[in-house]
Amino acid sequence: MTDPEGAFPDPALAPGEAADRAVAGILDAVVRPVPGAPRGVVVDSPPGAGKSTLVVRAARELVDAGERLMIVAQTNSQVDDLVDRLASKAPGMSIGRLHASDSRPAPEALRHANVTAKDKVADLLEQDVVISTAAKWQWVKTEQPWRQAIVDEAYQMRSDALLAVARLFERALFVGDPGQLDPFTVVGTDQWAGLSYDPSSSAVVTLLAHNPAIRPHRLPVSWRLPASAAPLVSDAFYPYTPFRAGTGPDDRVLRPGLRGDGSAVDAAIDEAAAGGWALLELPARHTVRTDTQAVAAVAATVRRLLDRELTAHSEQGSTPLTAGRVAVGTAHRDQAAAVRAELARLGVPVDPAAGEAVTVDTANRLQGREYDVTVVLHPLSGRPDATAFHLETGRLCVLASRHRHACIVVARAGIAELLDDHPATDPVQLGVAVKFPDGWEANHAVLSHLAEHRVRL
Amino acid sequence: MSLLSTLARLEAVRAQRAQPLATVRHRHLSERPMVLVPLAAAGESGAPLAVLLGTDRESPRLHFVPQPLNRTQRSEFLAAVAREVVPYLASFGDEVELLEGSEKDPVSGEKVPVVRELCADAPQLIVPNAGGVSHLALLGRSTRFRRTVEDPDPGEYPSPTEVPLLGRWLTHLTDRAQVPGSSMLLAMTGLLSRHWATGQSNLEDQHLAARLAWHLPPAGFEPPGTGAAAAEWVESARDGDGLLLHPPAGPATDPKFDERVLAPAILRHDAAVAVRERAEAARDAAEVRRAAGLVEQAHAELARVLLSVTLPTWHDVWHGLDLLRALPAAGHLPDRWEGDRWSFTMHRDRVAAGEPPQPRRDDAVTAARKLAQREREQARLEIQEALDDPLAMAERRLAGEAFAGEVVEVVPEWSAGRSPKPRPLLVVRTDDRPHADPGREVHRAHAEPAQRAEVVSAAPGEVVVRLLSGMGRRKDPEPGSVPEPGTAVVFTLFELAPRQSAPLPEPADTPWTHGGPPVAVEDVPVGADEWE
């Protein structure tokens, strides 16, 4: 096999130019396919590499070329985001938002004049673009399939969902981040392990297995991650498909307005402002999932972040760090609920309905989101064991790659020892490609980097 | 592991006794189950050694392979097992209910009435542990394609006709066992783990006898007692010859037993057979008679040692059944058992119609359909267990997914519009802390018809919800449909009916992304493997 497109970008090229070349290549393959080209185009995108921008551009060019287009995303909030973005960037395009009969799309998606929301696809067939979730598309019956589709967050789509929607289009652009969380199921699927069409595997894995002629394209530059984060995330989670930051070390500066009060929390904030990372470490201890002290440390960090009037200077200008630009990431929903409760107690806004608020959510729901500063409760903090769930590479990758400026990780000491005590014991299945790096390796890589930014509480 | 089950484990440690995780029995138990204790031979994966089986606790029957490497003997063993198991399975196929339904005529597209058969009951196999289920799955896989004398091309080593039939049934039952909540093939360790917590790890709970030692004092343990010491004794106590006092539940046997007891007994049997064969070749009638006696003796000795390592497990399984039968049955069991009855009936029909055995591998569409079914059944199981069992609901309440309390006030309100509908507010006093943000849809448990509500406000100690449905079509709610003050209510944040699975294409319409329609693979002639 030849080298995948854009896999080894010329390091001499400026980041902007390297990214432009990759995007131009992708758009050519999608909008002007050569005769005999495979029916699918796959684009692997590391965190913040302009995936959404690419989707918008591809949609515009396809519609300009006279195509009717369907777009498949995975969650309702992803669909609403995409509708909002597409409608703002292309006011002339008519956009249909297909939604379930028992749910309403978000107001941001509906505020545009060129967006029509309906729960029946028949009412949307005249639209240039129709967008919905994979779950909703599976129920669509139509005599008139689309010629062209875009599948967003394709690595989070399950193979069986693609099986159900592939009848709706002839050609498709699949865009996604291979480093994020794999799709999952709560029931046993061992009997299909190793089959190319294992229904619980990712849609892209199945697609590539059955269409070997498809060579994945890659976006080589992360515009989100700062120069302090891109090399670590690239090395730890994308060792064979490296990418780089689109900005230099001096382009992003985070500066506190008020001096620290000498507390460990403030020291961690200063450390993160200076180096992009901080590890706020609590004493080693086995705890329940909603570790009260760790939750309190997360909440106190967020409180101080907002109190200290930080300013984020970047290539997009200087903005004060407000609640809406901060996110807290956890592994479990009950942890997120505990953090939310504690933040509310400290008077930090957490309810988006009541105005600008700090986002507190699990890794699964933070996928695709972007903030200036993130505070992460480490998935392995306080645990007596390291299960496959907590070790999953994608979970850590999502949590460590949502920020434009800095990431503060809150954890109990002893995670490295915990990892050493729990080597991966998953059975090796014939025919299943070993995923590398595994969670064990990636966790160690991140930890050893964080150790240089440690502040003890 | 949830908070409640962790707590139950801690209590089990303190009491040195198993602690309940359920107040009702969540799996159907047949009145006439067949218990199987299978053993596998070491060295070859899936090679059967013996099975102790039966439907009568007092008279188990032992079948074994005297020389586990001998394929002819293995085939005879499987035939003997099939002659026990298949008639048991088939005995449930005779009594049927007739259900009237309608079906779309494939040609005209009109609905035509049809009468379908549903077997009144279904068989139930119980094995000691999950390893037993996998062993039966391997047996099913290795036998369902075997050719018999009835095949047009029986090949060099035709197997008895019952063997492939047994393989198809075992494949069906082990596949069905993957469906959450199904009860046609159950592992006793799994059944006990669902209903009781012990003070040991999940891994240790896989040892049936050690697990039971948390319920009942093991026979021979002095002083009699339950708990960790009893479990350890059962797991590891050995007699003067170094043999385990309580053999493991299989399918793997204790290596010491293999080395000191089983291997010599097999050797003696092999030797006796060799003597007989030599005598037969020499046409020495007296020697043949003497050798036949030797073979019989060696055979009886093998039976004795194999019985000695399966009988304790056999009793353990029945003791486990006693424990489970003492629990009252959960309310939704008939509902889920009907799914098993359909599964049984449909396989019975496929066998009767002469359809070929299940393919080696599922195609893309079949695999996706099975996964969808399992996920749907998993959701149904979680809902039904929560509704059937206050302890299961308590776990959901602790997780913030439900709340229980007392209605302290009802404020009658109506929707706006030309024909106002009742939208009463309920103030519920509760100590639970649901993750219920205002606007969140909740569902009232045990409401008939189903009743939805919306969270209006949630403060510690008090949740206010607005009822949205289930109150009839008139302006005033149907009597009894709105709970009075003082009524105990439970609301769940999860839906109380599993979502339908999305439709999938027919296998013939498998799209390009999944390799297109499956092509009929040229099957390797079955039974062409190396024989002996």
Side-chain angles (χ1 to χ4, degrees), chain A residues 138 158-159 185 191-192 197, chain B residues 362 374-375 499 502 512 514:
Chain A
Q138 293 182 45
R158 246 170 41 181
S159 172
T185 171
Q191 80 188 91
W192 304 300
Y197 45 72
Chain B
D362 291 329
R374 289 177 197 177
E375 292 188 318
R499 294 220 159 188
W512 58 277
H514 286 62

Side-chain angles (χ1 to χ4, degrees), chain A residues 53-342:
Chain A
T53 317
L54 172 72
V55 169
V56 170
R57 274 190 67 180
R60 288 180 67 170
E61 296 208 8
L62 283 166
V63 170
D64 288 347
E67 294 278 2
R68 279 165 70 239
L69 176 66
M70 65 176 273
I71 301 184
V72 185
Q74 309 312 314
T75 65
N76 276 312
S77 65
Q78 284 168 5
V79 171
D80 288 336
D81 266 6
L82 201 52
V83 168
D84 186 22
R85 206 185 302 252
L86 207 52
S88 335
K89 293 276 164 61
M93 191 190 288
S94 62
I95 299 167
R97 163 68 164 105
L98 178 63
H99 60 88
S101 51
D102 57 356
S103 77
R104 292 278 306 152
E108 299 84 70
L110 300 180
R111 64 184 171 177
H112 305 276
N114 52 338
V115 173
T116 317
K118 294 279 187 232
D119 63 355
K120 298 232 170 6
V121 77
D123 300 333
L124 296 171
L125 290 176
E126 302 302 311
Q127 307 290 320
D128 295 331
V129 181
V130 183
I131 310 184
S132 192
T133 59
K136 178 70 183 169
W137 277 119
Q138 293 182 45
W139 291 95
V140 166
K141 287 193 190 122
T142 174
E143 305 282 300
Q144 220 186 326
W146 279 259
R147 248 175 55 75
Q148 186 74 44
I150 296 178
V151 179
D152 196 12
E153 301 290 0
Y155 282 90
Q156 275 75 58
M157 185 177 189
R158 246 170 41 181
S159 172
D160 55 351
L162 180 61
L163 177 64
V165 302
R167 66 197 157 83
L168 293 170
F169 52 80
E170 284 174 31
R171 307 179 45 82
L173 164 65
F174 296 83
V175 189
D177 180 350
Q180 297 206 9
L181 287 161
D182 287 332
F184 68 98
T185 171
V186 290
V187 299
T189 56
D190 278 357
Q191 80 188 91
W192 304 300
L195 292 183
S196 53
Y197 45 72
D198 176 352
S200 65
S201 69
S202 146
V204 182
V205 170
T206 297
L207 175 78
L208 292 178
H210 286 286
N211 297 273
I214 299 178
R215 291 154 53 202
H217 294 255
R218 293 205 169 88
L219 295 175
V221 176
S222 173
W223 300 104
R224 172 194 309 150
L225 290 176
S228 59
L232 169 63
V233 173
S234 175
D235 288 350
F237 302 103
Y238 304 82
Y240 302 122
T241 52
F243 63 91
R244 52 183 165 154
T247 52
D250 303 326
D251 293 338
R252 300 263 171 92
V253 178
L254 188 63
R255 201 164 281 140
L258 302 177
R259 289 173 66 99
D261 58 8
S263 67
V265 167
D266 275 11
I269 291 172
D270 290 331
E271 177 67 34
W277 295 97
L279 171 63
L280 182 59
E281 195 177 74
L282 286 82
R285 194 177 159 195
H286 288 166
T287 65
V288 292
R289 237 157 52 179
T290 48
D291 177 358
T292 328
Q293 291 167 332
V295 165
V298 169
T301 308
V302 174
R303 177 76 264 176
R304 289 299 293 165
L305 273 173
L306 299 180
D307 287 348
R308 289 184 61 192
E309 295 170 10
L310 282 87
T311 313
H313 307 274
S314 76
E315 68 286 0
Q316 296 174 353
S318 298
T319 47
L321 184 74
T322 52
R325 300 302 307 151
V326 178
V328 176
T330 64
H332 293 281
R333 276 187 297 181
D334 53 0
Q335 293 171 332
V339 170
R340 231 175 272 135
E342 181 66 15

Side-chain angles (χ1 to χ4, degrees), chain B residues 88 99 147 150 167 186 246 361 389 417 437 444 464 467 469 472:
Chain B
Y88 167 74
L99 299 178
R147 285 183 292 181
E150 290 173 4
L186 290 168
H246 195 111
R361 292 192 186 88
D389 185 352
D437 302 320
R444 186 171 161 210
V464 181
L467 288 185
S469 66

Side-chain angles (χ1 to χ4, degrees), chain B residues 2 58 124 175 188 208 220-221 298 328 346 355 376 470 476 501:
Chain B
S2 74
E58 303 306 327
Q124 182 171 57
D175 207 37
M188 181 50 69
L208 178 59
F221 176 59
M346 273 150 36
E355 284 186 29
R376 206 168 54 234
D476 287 313
S501 312

Side-chain angles (χ1 to χ4, degrees), chain B residues 27-163:
Chain B
R27 297 292 180 276
H28 175 86
L29 286 187
S30 165
E31 284 171 20
R32 192 162 59 95
M34 176 175 265
V35 172
L36 294 100
V37 180
L39 290 187
E44 187 187 339
S45 143
L49 170 62
V51 61
L52 188 66
L53 57 77
T55 52
D56 181 355
R57 164 177 211 162
E58 303 306 327
S59 57
R61 281 192 294 279
L62 178 75
H63 297 278
F64 64 97
V65 194
Q67 170 45 270
L69 298 178
N70 183 313
R71 301 296 161 116
T72 308
Q73 290 180 13
R74 183 182 297 181
S75 197
E76 285 162 5
F77 161 84
L78 290 168
V81 173
R83 282 192 289 271
E84 300 256 14
V85 175
V86 172
Y88 167 74
L89 298 173
S91 69
F92 290 88
D94 301 332
E95 200 183 321
V96 294
E97 284 172 26
L98 294 179
L99 299 178
E100 286 178 21
S102 61
E103 225 167 54
K104 220 180 218 177
D105 188 288
V107 185
S108 65
E110 281 173 35
K111 282 202 170 173
V112 285
V114 286
V115 176
R116 300 172 74 191
E117 284 191 354
L118 171 61
C119 292
D121 199 2
Q124 182 171 57
L125 303 191
I126 312 246
V127 294
N129 49 30
V133 177
S134 334
H135 184 68
L136 295 188
L138 278 177
L139 286 187
R141 202 169 81 177
S142 65
T143 53
R144 69 177 187 264
F145 296 111
R146 292 232 75 92
R147 285 183 292 181
T148 70
V149 280
E150 290 173 4
D151 274 292
D153 172 18
E156 212 172 330
Y157 305 103
S159 76
T161 43
E162 306 90 338
V163 171

Side-chain angles (χ1 to χ4, degrees), chain B residues 196-265:
Chain B
W196 288 277
T198 67
Q200 57 187 8
S201 71
N202 289 327
L203 192 68
E204 291 166 305
D205 276 350
Q206 294 293 308
H207 190 299
L208 178 59
R211 203 213 124 111
L212 271 178
W214 288 85
H215 296 262
L216 310 162
F221 176 59
E222 291 298 333
T226 58
E232 198 188 340
W233 180 83
V234 157
E235 256 176 39
S236 54
R238 291 176 185 272
D239 64 11
D241 297 332
L243 295 175
L244 284 171
L245 291 174
H246 195 111
T253 45
D254 175 27
K256 276 274 185 320
F257 164 80
D258 284 3
E259 178 199 333
R260 301 201 177 159
V261 180
L262 184 63

Side-chain angles (χ1 to χ4, degrees), chain B residues 213-425:
Chain B
W214 288 85
H215 296 262
L216 310 162
F221 176 59
E222 291 298 333
T226 58
E232 198 188 340
W233 180 83
V234 157
E235 256 176 39
S236 54
R238 291 176 185 272
D239 64 11
D241 297 332
L243 295 175
L244 284 171
L245 291 174
H246 195 111
T253 45
D254 175 27
K256 276 274 185 320
F257 164 80
D258 284 3
E259 178 199 333
R260 301 201 177 159
V261 180
L262 184 63
I266 291 175
L267 268 180
R268 274 196 292 278
H269 185 269
D270 284 351
V273 170
V275 169
R276 189 183 62 190
E277 279 171 358
R278 269 201 307 276
E280 280 169 354
R283 295 165 189 270
D284 180 342
E287 181 68 1
V288 167
R289 265 196 307 280
R290 192 185 73 86
L294 284 178
V295 171
E296 203 174 304
Q297 218 178 339
H299 196 267
E301 173 64 8
L302 262 176
R304 191 187 64 77
V305 302
L306 286 169
L307 191 63
S308 76
V309 291
T310 44
L311 204 52
T313 305
W314 168 268
H315 290 308
D316 284 346
V317 174
W318 287 98
H319 283 312
L321 284 173
D322 292 341
L323 290 169
L324 289 157
R325 281 182 174 148
L327 287 173
H332 281 94
L333 285 191
D335 182 44
R336 291 206 295 276
W337 182 241
E338 191 180 315
D340 285 317
R341 286 161 57 204
W342 275 116
S343 163
F344 172 73
T345 309
M346 273 150 36
H347 191 65
R348 176 200 72 155
D349 295 347
R350 278 192 291 271
V351 170
E355 284 186 29
Q358 300 93 328
R360 272 156 212 273
R361 292 192 186 88
D362 291 329
D363 58 65
V365 172
T366 308
R369 281 188 184 153
K370 284 186 181 174
L371 178 58
Q373 183 202 25
R374 289 177 197 177
E375 292 188 318
R376 206 168 54 234
E377 291 302 321
Q378 176 70 36
R380 187 196 312 278
L381 180 67
E382 284 172 13
I383 293 165
Q384 294 187 339
E385 288 194 346
L387 291 176
D388 287 343
D389 185 352
L391 256 182
M393 186 62 92
E395 299 220 355
R396 310 300 290 267
R397 286 163 58 193
L398 269 176
E401 294 169 343
F403 60 98
E406 188 190 326
V407 177
V408 289
E409 197 188 341
V410 180
V411 185
E413 284 189 13
W414 283 266
S415 61
R418 218 172 323 144
S419 55
K421 295 276 185 309
R423 291 287 181 266
L425 289 175

